[in-house]
Amino acid sequence: MSAQDDVISGRAWDAFCDTLKQAGRQILRPEAPVSELDRAEGWRYLTRLLRIGLEMHLECADPDFPAFFMPSHETGKIGADNPDNLYLMARINGRNEYVLRGTRGTVSYLSIGTQKGGYETDGKMEPTGFIDAKDLQLDAEGRFEVIVSAERPAGAKNWLRIEPASNAVLVRQTFLDRKTERPATITIARAGSQARPEPLSAERIALALQRTAGFVDGTATVFANWAQSYLAHPNRLPLADQKVCQAAGGDPNIVYYHSYWQLADDEALVIHLPRIPDCRFWNLQINNWWMESLDYRYHRAHFNAHSAKVAADGSVTMVLAHRDPGVDNWLETAGHDRGTMCLRWVGSKENVDPELRIVKSGELKKSAA
């Protein structure tokens, strides 16, 4: 059958719906929590992935006419999304050439990378090129232009590498303080083309539906597998396998720690960083089981160098608790009794491992002192 036949007959839509239904199996996995809150957030998580997938594979999918969209944000979250980040993504074709133009702004950390693969295909988002904003050449007004191509053009001040399989540009902007820092502005355009988009075809909509549904199912599967693996070390926070993190789209400047937490009603988790290494940025965040950051718009779900109170000896102690424990650096569970968590060192000279311990809430002030 042709794509035209599948679209006109409705078979393309039926297949789309069938794959979405299949994605629901990830919410019903035997190790997943079954509380009302966790299950409700699981179904919401799939709807959020669907919204992101439609932006990625339908509305902003044409690599000849790329546009940036947000692949994670306050109400759409993937794989321990960083609450301090502003994420932007554009879909590209590695056989084309593109130009990025923008202004640096004052945001604490900015990186731009190209990737290949996808959670809807091979379950990966492997890097194919990377540029750190500290290496960008800017004009007197803080503006930049980056050529995105397979080979570096002669005379190009800023160049971002792609290869034939590259299919995305991902921008990370990391804030210490969103209230005072000014984000970068950035646009993308295909170089050397004055064409305009053709009308939507059966082939394009059929492929978009297939990839969108596959993205929902594939993304849910990847991070359900991650969450399951963390059950081996509850209430500890070991160094993650960095190759796995990078293959899933991680920033090469970042070292990641991932784990699982679970607290009884009368328990709290004390997370102690003995010292902060020489680094460009760090933060620690609390997520739900589905590896979505907790709602940082209304709850304290993360701390960084700006927001955390540092002790006189240079250490930082954070406390995850159901209720305000009356100590510094309280992380809120926001109604959850379990979930995942993530620590990042960005551009660190060394890794400093966190120290975690469970305490009874009644002993918290004494234990955390």
Side-chain angles (χ1 to χ4, degrees):
M1 294 290 180
S2 67
Q4 185 179 40
D5 290 336
D6 289 342
V7 168
I8 291 174
S9 70
R11 284 190 296 270
W13 182 261
D14 288 345
F16 169 73
C17 293
D18 288 342
T19 303
L20 290 181
K21 183 177 180 180
Q22 175 179 299
R25 296 183 303 182
Q26 300 306 318
I27 309 305
L28 301 174
R29 286 167 63 140
E31 75 278 6
V34 295
S35 73
E36 177 183 352
L37 175 58
D38 289 304
R39 191 56 55 86
E41 287 187 338
W43 301 125
R44 183 183 64 182
Y45 170 53
L46 296 185
T47 70
R48 289 173 164 184
L49 293 180
L50 177 57
R51 284 191 287 123
I52 295 168
L54 288 169
E55 287 285 286
M56 183 181 298
H57 294 296
L58 178 58
E59 302 297 348
C60 300
D62 191 336
D64 291 330
F65 306 93
F68 281 112
F69 62 94
M70 297 174 66
S72 284
H73 47 80
E74 291 91 342
T75 61
K77 308 182 180 212
I78 298 175
D81 59 291
N82 187 344
D84 289 316
N85 271 9
L86 170 60
Y87 296 94
L88 297 172
M89 177 180 274
R91 305 299 291 182
I92 61 170
N93 182 334
R95 300 185 184 281
N96 294 340
E97 182 176 309
Y98 301 88
V99 181
L100 305 177
R101 294 184 177 91
T103 57
R104 172 62 180 84
T106 63
V107 66
S108 176
Y109 175 76
L110 170 66
S111 70
I112 310 171
T114 60
Q115 299 175 333
K116 64 182 178 181
Y119 298 147
E120 70 282 356
T121 54
D122 60 5
K124 298 178 180 180
M125 292 173 60
E126 296 182 284
T128 58
F130 183 79
I131 186 167
D132 189 321
K134 70 179 179 61
D135 300 321
L136 282 174
Q137 293 193 40
L138 311 174
D139 69 13
E141 302 299 323
R143 295 172 297 198
F144 61 84
E145 180 175 290
V146 179
I147 303 301
V148 184
S149 61
E151 302 292 337
R152 182 167 193 153
K157 294 182 178 179
N158 301 303
W159 174 62
L160 180 59
R161 178 184 177 275
I162 55 175
E163 56 188 55
S166 299
N167 58 20
V169 174
L170 180 64
V171 179
R172 281 182 175 86
Q173 302 192 53
T174 307
F175 297 80
L176 278 170
D177 181 8
R178 285 183 185 265
K179 294 181 180 179
T180 61
E181 291 173 291
R182 186 175 71 255
T185 62
I186 185 167
T187 62
I188 183 171
R190 183 181 174 189
S193 175
Q194 301 298 320
R196 292 191 296 174
E198 295 292 330
L200 185 63
S201 67
E203 183 176 1
R204 282 174 53 201
I205 189 64
L207 183 60
L209 291 174
Q210 178 187 17
R211 288 180 172 172
T212 297
F215 171 81
V216 176
D217 187 34
T219 305
T221 301
V222 167
F223 294 109
N225 290 341
W226 281 29
Q228 182 185 32
S229 73
Y230 304 151
L231 291 172
H233 38 76
N235 296 320
R236 291 182 288 141
L237 190 48
L239 185 66
D241 185 331
Q242 301 305 300
K243 290 183 179 179
V244 172
C245 294
Q246 294 302 317
D251 185 311
N253 282 335
I254 302 178
V255 172
Y256 298 89
Y257 292 68
H258 285 289
S259 196
Y260 169 78
W261 63 271
Q262 183 171 1
L263 295 175
D265 186 65
D266 64 344
E267 291 180 333
L269 181 62
V270 177
I271 306 168
H272 181 67
L273 304 177
R275 58 192 172 84
I276 302 301
D278 181 8
C279 63
R280 296 168 64 184
F281 178 89
W282 70 268
N283 75 354
L284 183 136
Q285 70 181 75
I286 302 301
N287 314 310
N288 63 14
W289 171 262
W290 314 110
M291 297 194 69
E292 298 179 299
S293 63
L294 297 189
D295 196 342
Y296 50 84
R297 297 173 299 174
Y298 306 110
H299 300 280
R300 172 53 70 182
H302 70 294
F303 282 105
N304 63 28
H306 171 77
S307 56
K309 184 172 181 179
V310 181
D313 64 359
S315 67
V316 175
T317 300
M318 296 160 282
V319 178
L320 176 62
H322 296 296
R323 291 166 289 277
D324 187 348
V327 299
D328 293 328
N329 303 329
W330 172 38
L331 290 159
E332 302 178 44
T333 60
H336 300 79
D337 66 1
R338 71 195 68 195
T340 60
M341 52 186 162
C342 176
L343 169 68
R344 297 173 179 84
W345 300 122
V346 182
S348 179
K349 303 294 184 182
E350 60 179 322
N351 298 330
V352 175
D353 296 337
E355 301 168 356
L356 281 69
R357 69 184 188 275
I358 293 285
V359 301
K360 294 295 184 182
S361 299
E363 297 293 321
L364 191 53
K365 288 190 178 182
K366 179 180 177 181
S367 298

